[in-house]
Amino acid sequence: MTGAPLIDIEDLRIDLNHGSSQVPAVEGVSFRIDRGETFGLVGESGCGKSITALALIGLLRPPLSVGGGVIRFDGREIQRLPATAQRALRGNRIAMIFQEPMTALNPVSPVGRQIAEMFVLHKGKSWREANQLAVEALARVRVPAPERRVKDYPHQLSGGMRQRVMIAIALACGPDLLIADEPTTALDVTVQAEIIELMRTLCAERGTAILMISHDLGLVANVCRRVAVMYAGRIVEERGSADIFRTPSHPYTQGLVASLPRLGSRAALGRTRLKEIAGVVPAITSFPDGCRFNPRCAQATDICRATAPETSLLEAGGLVRCHHHA
Amino acid sequence: MLSFLIRRILQTIPTVLAVVLLVFALFSVVPGSIVSTMSDDGDPQVEARMKTQLGLDQPVYVRFGSYIANLATGDFGTSFRTREPVTTMIAKRTGPTLQLIFAAMAFAIVIGVPLGFISALRPGSIVDTAAMVVAVSGLSMAKFWLGLLLMYLFALKLGWLPSFGYGDGGLKYLILPAMTLGVSPMALLARTTRAAVLEIMTADFVRTARSKGMSETRVVKWHVTRNALVLILTTTGLQFGALMGQAVVVEKLFSWPGIGSLLVDSVLQRDIPAVQGSILVVVLFFLAVNLLIDLLYGVIDPRIRYA
Amino acid sequence: MKLRANLIIGGALFALAIFVGLLAPWLAHTDPVLDANLMNAEEAPSWLWWFGTDGQGRDIYSRVVYGARVSLTVGIVSQLINSVIGVGLGLSAGYWGGWWDDVVNGLTNLMLAIPSLIFALAIMAVLGPGLTSLLIALGLTNWSFTCRIARASALSLKSQGYVQAATVLGYGDLRIMITQLLPNMLGPIIVIGTLGMGSAVLSEASLSFLGLGVRPPYPSWGSMLSEARDQITTAPWLSVFPGLAIFLTVLGLNLLGDGLRDILDPQSRSRRT
Amino acid sequence: MLKTIAIVASLGLALSVTAEAQTPRKGGTIRMTAPYGSSFTSMDIHTTQRAQDEIYAKALHRSLYIWNSAEGRPVLELAKEDTVSDGGLVHTFKLRDDAYFHNGRKMTADDIIWSYTRIMDGSKAYPGARFVRIIEGAAAVEKGQAKDISGLKKIDDFTLEMKLTEKVDPGFYFFTALTSIYPADEGGKESFLQKPIGLGPFRFVEHVPGSRVVLERWDRFYKPGKPYADKIIVSVMGEAAARDIAFRNKEIDTSVLGPAQYVAYQADPDLKGTIVEVAEVFTRYMGMNPAFKPFADKRVRQAINYAIDTDLIINKLVKGKAYRATSWLPLTSPLYDKTMKPYPYDPAKAKQLLADAGYPAGFEFEWTTSQNESWGLPIVTAVIPMLDKVGIKVKVKQVETAVLAEVIRTGDYQAFIYSQQSGPDPQSALKCFHSSTPQSACNYMNFKNTAFDKLIDESGQTDDAAKRGQLLQQANALLYDEAPVWFFNYNKAVMAVQPWLKGIQLNPTELTHQNVEDLWVDETSPAK
Amino acid sequence: MHDPLGRRDDVILSVEDLAVHFPVGGGLLGRGGRLLRAVDGVDLGLKRGECLGLVGESGSGKSTVALSMLGLLTPTRGRIVVDGQVVTGRRAGNRKTLARIVQMVFQDPYASLNPRQTVRHTLEDPLRVHGVTAASEIEDRVATMLRHVGLRPEQADRYPHEFSGGQRQRIGIARALILNPRIVICDEPVSALDVSIRAQIINLLLELKETLGLSYIMISHDLGVVEHMSDRVAVMYLGRIVETGDWREIFERPAHPYTRSLIAAIPDPLHHAPLATTKGELPNPLSPPNGCAFGPRCRYAEAVCHREPGPPLEMRPDGHMVRCWRADEITDQTALALTASGHP
C-alpha cells in the first residue's frame, strides 16, 4: 500500500475519569487502516473496542477522554484540529453506524430528514435538494419505495430497514471510513446476512474503508481482511483474518477460536467437550498487573504476572502481545 | 383522529359520573346544612319547607338520579345560596380562572423550560446550581405565604402592581396571582426539562447526530428539543390538575373571582349544587386539557397514533 | 457511591426536623398550649423569646418546636397511607391485569382528575377540622401517582426473569408480589413518598389557610402560619418562623427525594407517566 | 369605659363637624371593601342576611326606614311621616312621591306590599321574614294560608297602612336591607339577579362574582344634591392581610381592621389618623348548656365568669378592639346600665364557687368554637389556661361557622363561643332569653327563668317607654346574676378610612353599613 | 434415538396442536381488535434424557411455546402433557405440580436474578414453597446444588451484583435445578454472556444433563450452539414448525428453504462468500402473507407457494419432517455442503 494510511492510531490511551482519579480503559492501542481496507476489531464487552472507535470519530463523552497517543486521519492529527474542522470530518469523511438501530435514530423525526441532514450539514444543500438526495440515498440501500419511506418514522420500520437507513445516513456523503459498531447484533441472522452484504457491497463500490467492531470473531473474520483482537483495553493480536482463525497466536485468541461450537464441527468431529477459557473478564477498574490475560491463561508464567508484554511481530505477518506467543 | 376524539370523550363519561357520585356521597354525610345557615330564626316549619324546595328531603339516590338527568341537559341545578342557576354562576367564574391558570402556566413554561434547558446544557455549573436552587425553593413554600410575600414586595414596597382583585380584568391585576400560582409548576418544569434534556443528551440518536458532525447547538435544536417536549408536555398536563387545586388558595388570597374561591365558599357554606358544579367544571377542564395534551403528543411524537 | 450535596443537605434538614419533633419536650422552653400569658403577648424576638411570642403570649419557638410533631405526623402518616394504598392497588393491578387493572385504572384516573387539594378540602368539610381528618383527607387523595408508578413497575418487572422464575417455581401470587416485585419497586416509591411528604406538609398549610386545618390548640406549622398571616406587615416574626420551618423541612424533603432518586431510581429521572 | 364612649362620641362629632365645615365635592370614586368573605352571597338582597351583602345593598337599595347613626335609631326613609293609631298597632305611612327605581319608575305603596309579600314566601325562607312577620297576617302568608298580608293596606299610591301584631317600633324591623323595597313584579324576574334594580342613590353597573360590585350615581335619587360620588366600587376582600396591603397601597378607601391591625395602625403615625371605631350591637359570649350537669348550677356559671381574666384578654389578645361586657345589653344600647360593674377577675372566688357547687377538683367540658379571630378559637385558646388554673379542663372542638350555627340551634354542645346581635332594639334583644323563645330561634342556651319571663312580658305590654326601659334593665341585671353565659365583650368595630373619604357614619349596627349618599371623596383621592 | 417425532413411551413432554393467540389493539369498548397468532398448531415431543433444539428468528413463536409449557401462558387451543399430566393454563394447582417437573433457565443472567435477594434466599425459597422445612435439609440441598453448578457454598450469602455474568447464569441454573425437575427449558442460555464464558456454561449444561438425567428444550438462535447441544431440532417460522428431525438430518440435509437460509446466513470466517439467501424480514404476524408464510422471502417460491398455505409436516425419506411444497426438488437440486473446514 502506498501513501499514508487512512487511519493511523498510535499508542492510544483512553481514560475513565472518576473524580480526580483516572483509570485507563484503553492503553497502548495502535493500528492502521488503509484506504478501502476492511479492518475488524474484536473483543468482549468492556474490552474497549467501542470506545476506541468513539475516540477515533471524536465522540468520547465524559467520564471518558483521550489520555494520550495520536490519531491521524489522512495524515492529519485529529485531536489538533479545531472543533469545527473535526466536525467537518465527522459524518462527511468518517461515518459511523451503531448497534441498536431503534435508538440510534431520532424517534420523532422522519427518516428522510435524518438522511437529508447530512447533505445540509456537509454539502451545503437546501432542505429541498437534500430531501431529494435522501430519497436517492434510501434507494441505494435498497429500501423499496424510497419516496414513501422517507416520510416514515423509525418506529414504522423493521429493524433491518432501520439499519439500512443508518447505512444510508453513514454513506450519504461518501465517507472514506465507515465505522460499524456491532451493526447487526440486534438483528436476526438472516437479516444480518443481508445487512452485511449491503454494507460490504456499497463500501467496495466507492472504496470506503470499514472499521468493523464486533464480539463475533466469525463475523468479523468473514467481513474483514485484517482483524485485531482486543482484551482488557489492549490489542492482543492483529492478523489477517484467515490467519487469525487458522493459527491464532495469542492464548486468548486461541481460546476464543476453540471455545465456541461452530456450525459443522459436531458433524465433522463429534460432540466433544468445548475448550473453556477459565475465569471471568476483568472489570476496567481491576485490570490485573502484567499481562492482563494472565489470570485466565493456562500458559501464564511469572513474567506474565509481572510484566506487561510488548507487541511482537509474527513471522507470518501480524502482531501479537504475548510473552509466550506461538 | 375523529374517532379517537369521540372515543376519548366517551371515556371521560364514567369519570364524570364517578365524580358526581363521589361528591354526592361525600356531602350527603356532611354535618351542617345550608338550611340552618340561611334561616336565621330557625322555624322548623320554614326549614322543612325549604328542604322540600331545595329537594333535600329526598333520599340521596333520588337526588343523584335527578341531578344526572338534569346534567345531561346541561343544567347544573340552582345554587342553594344565591338562588342563581349554577351554570350562570360558573360561567361568570370560568373566565377569570382560565385566565389565571393559563397565565400561571405560561409563566411556568416561559421561565421554567428555558431555565431547565440552560441548566441541562451546563450541568454542574453555577447557572445550573442556581436555577435548581430557585426551582426547589419555589416548590417548598406554602403558596399563600409566597403570595403574601410577593404582594408585600411588588405592591407595597415597590408599588409596581396592584395587590389584589380582578380590577377591570387588566393584565397588571393578573401578574401577581399568576406568578404565585405559577411558581411550583415553573419549578417542576425546570426540573423536568433539565432531567429530560440531560437524559436525551445521552440517548443513542444524539450520539448519531454528533457522529454526523453536528454542532452541539444544532444537536439541541434539531434533535433534543422535540424529544424533550414530549416529557415537558406530560408534566405540563399533570400540572394543570395541581394548578386547579392551588388556584383555590391563590384566588382566595388575591380576591380573584374564579371557580376556586367559589368552590371554597360553597364547600364551607354547604351549597351542594355549587360545589358539585364547580368540581365538575374543574374535572372537565382537567380532562379537556389532557385530551388536548394527548392530541399534541400526536403532533410532536409520531409514535403515538390515534388508532 | 459519591454522596451528592442534595442528599446530604436534604437529609440533614429532614433529620433536624425529625430530631426537633422527637425531642420537643426537652427543646421547648414552655408548654406550647398552656403557657399562654397574655402579659407577654406579641413580643418581638429577643434573648428571652428566641422567635418572639404570639398574640396569646405563647412562645413561638416552643410552638415551632412542638409544631414539628404535628406537621411531620401529617406529612409522614398521610404519605404512608398514600403509599400503602398506591402500592397495594398499583402492584396488584399491574401484576394481575384484567378487570382489576381496569378498575384500578379507572380509580386512578378519577383521582387524577380531581385536584387532590380540592378533594382533600371536600373530605375535610365532611370530617371537620382536626388531625385525624387531615390524615385521612391527605392520605386518601394523593396515591394516584404512587399507584401509577407501582403499576408501571409491576408491569415491567413481571416480565423480568426472576419474576417469571418465581412463577415457574410455583410461588403464589401474593408471595411473588411481596418478595419479588415489591422490593424491586421500592426505590421509586420511596422517592415519591419523600416528595409526597413535602407536599403533604404544604397541603396542611393550604388547608389551614382555607380554615380546615389541624384542630387547635396544638400547633402545626401550617396553622401557625395561617393564623399569623394577617400580621405579616405588623408582627412578621409570627409568620416568618413557622414559614421558615415549613420551607426548610419541605426543601429538605425535596432535596432528599431528588438525592434518593439519583441513587435508588436512576433511570426514571423523567419517566413518562 | 366612660372615657372611651366619650372619645367615640367626640370622634363622631369631629367627623361630622369636618363634614360640615368642608363643602362636599361632587364626583370621584369611592372604593369600599366587603371584608367578611370571598364573595357576595347574592344579588337578591332579600335572600341573604350576611353583613357582607348589605354593604353594596346600602348603595343600591332602600328600605322603609334607615338607620340614623347620629340619632342612634332608625328613622323614616321612604315615608315622610308615620301616624300611629289603635293603641300603637296601626301605622299609616305617608310615602315619598319622589323616589324612583333605577328603571325610572316611581315607587308606590304597591311596591312595598309586593316586596313584603315576597319576603313572606314560606317556601323560600327569606331571612327578612322574621321582621315582616310583625305585620298582622304575614305569618299566614308564610304558612301558605293566605295570599296577601292582611295587615298591609294600600290607601292610595303614596299612603300605606300597616297593622302590627305587637306594640313595637317598626323602625327596628324595617331598616335593614333584608326588607329592601323592590319594584313590584320586576323584582321576581330571573333577570333581576343579573341586574338588580333598587331605590338607592347608586344604580347597578356590574357584579364580578367573587371580586366586586360596581355602582354609579343614580341621578334621580330623591335627596337633593346627593349622592356626591360618581361611582362606588365594593371589592370583596376576605383576607385581612391582603386588605392591609391594599389599604397601605392606597388601592382601597376603607378597610375593616382586626385586632392585630388595630394595634399596628394605632402605632403607625401615618395610619393612626385613619382609624374610625364604634361600639357595635353585638355581644360576644360563651354559651353554657344547662343540660350539661355542671353548667346547670348558677355558681359554676358565675365561677367561670370570675375565673377568666376578661380584661386581660380584651387588652392583650383582642388588642383593645372590644368593650368589656357586663351583661347582655351592649354599650350602644339605649338601656345600657352604666352603673353595673362586670364580673371581676377573681380565681379564688371562682374556686370557692366551684367548691360550693360540688366541683372542688373542677371538671372537664367540651367547647365548640369556630375559627373566628375575634370570638372563636384564639379566645378559647387564651381562656384554656385560665380555666385550667381553677381546675376546669377544656376540650376544644373546632367547627366551621356553618356547623356552629347548626350546633347551637340544636343544643348539641356543652359550651360554645359566639357573637350575637344584642341590639339595637333592647326588647327584642332580651326576648331571646324568654322561655317561650325556641332554642332554634335565638335562645341558644335554652334559658328558662320565670322571673325573667315576667319582666319581659310586662315590658311588652306597657306603653310607658320609661317603665319599659326600667323593666328591661331589670331583666338585663337578672341575666348578669344568672350568668347563662360568660359575658365577654361588645364588639368594637374598627375601620380604617383613607383621609380623602369623608362623611363616614358611626353605625353601631354594623360599621361597614354606610349611607353612601353622604360619603364623598376630596381631590386627593388617587382613584379616578 | 432415531424416532424423529419422539412418539414413544419415554416421551416426557408432548405438545399437541398448541395455539396461542393474543388479541391486539381494540378499544375500551372491545371492538376492532386483531388476533396475533403467535403460535398456531404446533406439535412437539420431548423424550427423557433428550435435548430438543428449538430455533427460529425472533417472533417465530419459540418463546411462546416455552412459556406455554411452563404454564405461564394459557393456550388458545391444544394440549400440553407433562409426565402424563395435562397442564393447561396457570391454575394454581397446576403451577406447583408443574414446577417440580419443568423448570427454566433464562436468557439474561442480569435480569433473571432478584437483585434484592441473596443467592441463598433465591435457592431456599423454592424449597420452602414446596414444603421442605427442615433447616439442615435446605442447607444441604443448597450447598450441593451450588457445588453442582461450580460455585462455592460460602458464596451463597452474596447478592447477585457481586457475581459476574457467567456466575449469575450458574446461579440461574442452580435455581432451575433446586426442585429436581425432569425437564429444563433453556431460553438462549448463553447469548447474553461474554464470548469467553459461553463454553463454560454450555459444558456445564451438558454435564448436568448427564449427571442428573435431565431433558432439555434448548431455545437459541445460535445454530452453532444448537448443533452442539441438541439431539433433535425443530425449526419454527411464524408460529409453526417448518422442519423437525434429528440434528444431523437438519444440519446436513436441511430440506426447508428457511432452514437452509438460516444455516447459510452463519458467516464463515474463512470464506468471504455471500451470506444472504433470503430477502426481507419476518412478516408482520398480524397480517401474515397469503400462501406459505415463508413464500415472500423464499427464493424457491413458485405460484403454488403464494397461493396455497404451506403443506402439513411431511415425513421425508431420511426420517425428518418438513413443511414445504418444494422440499424434494430443493434437497435434490442443491446439496448444502457443510464441512468442518478449517478447524484447528
Side-chain angles (χ1 to χ4, degrees), chain C residues 33-34 36 38-39 41-42 55-56 58 124-125 129 208-209 211-212 214-217 227 229-231 233-234, chain D residues 239-241 244 248 260-261 264 312-313 316-317 319 371 373 377-379 381-382 384-386 396-398 400:
Chain C
V33 179
L34 292 177
L38 288 174
M39 296 313 291
E42 262 175 57
Q56 288 155 329
R58 294 174 299 196
M124 289 302 287
S208 282
F209 170 79
L212 294 164
V214 175
R215 190 196 308 254
E227 283 164 23
R229 67 182 188 270
D230 293 357
Q231 285 155 275
T233 55
T234 54
Chain D
E239 268 306 305
D244 174 35
R248 290 166 184 263
Q261 284 163 5
L312 185 66
I313 293 177
K316 286 289 183 174
L317 186 58
K319 315 285 190 232
Q371 253 208 330
E373 63 167 347
L377 193 57
I379 310 301
T381 36
I384 290 174
M386 297 177 178
V396 179
K397 180 177 177 193
Q398 191 201 332
E400 289 157 60

Side-chain angles (χ1 to χ4, degrees), chain A residues 237 239 243-255 257-258 326, chain E residues 344:
Chain A
E237 185 165 2
R239 306 277 295 280
D243 295 343
I244 210 166
F245 238 86
R246 286 208 185 87
T247 58
S249 185
H250 194 280
Y252 174 63
T253 323
Q254 290 169 352
V257 172

Side-chain angles (χ1 to χ4, degrees), chain A residues 44-45 158 160-161 188 190-191 194 197 222 224 259 262 264 266-268 271-274 276-277 279-280 296, chain E residues 57-58 164 194-196 200 203 207 227-230 247 268 271-272 274-276 279-281 297 340 343:
Chain A
E44 296 174 84
S45 54
S158 66
M161 282 298 158
D188 278 313
T190 55
V191 184
E194 278 189 292
E197 262 181 44
N222 178 279
C224 300
S259 72
R262 277 175 52 224
R266 181 172 172 197
R271 180 149 77 186
T272 51
R273 193 185 150 83
L274 296 171
E276 291 178 17
I277 304 176
V280 298
R296 304 178 70 187
Chain E
E57 289 171 287
S58 47
S164 69
D194 275 321
V195 183
S196 62
Q200 300 173 359
N203 285 339
E207 280 164 22
E227 188 201 35
H228 184 79
M229 292 187 67
S230 308
W247 70 270
D268 183 338
H271 296 95
H272 299 238
L275 302 167
K279 51 186 187 289
E281 291 168 54
R297 300 175 67 188
H343 270 268

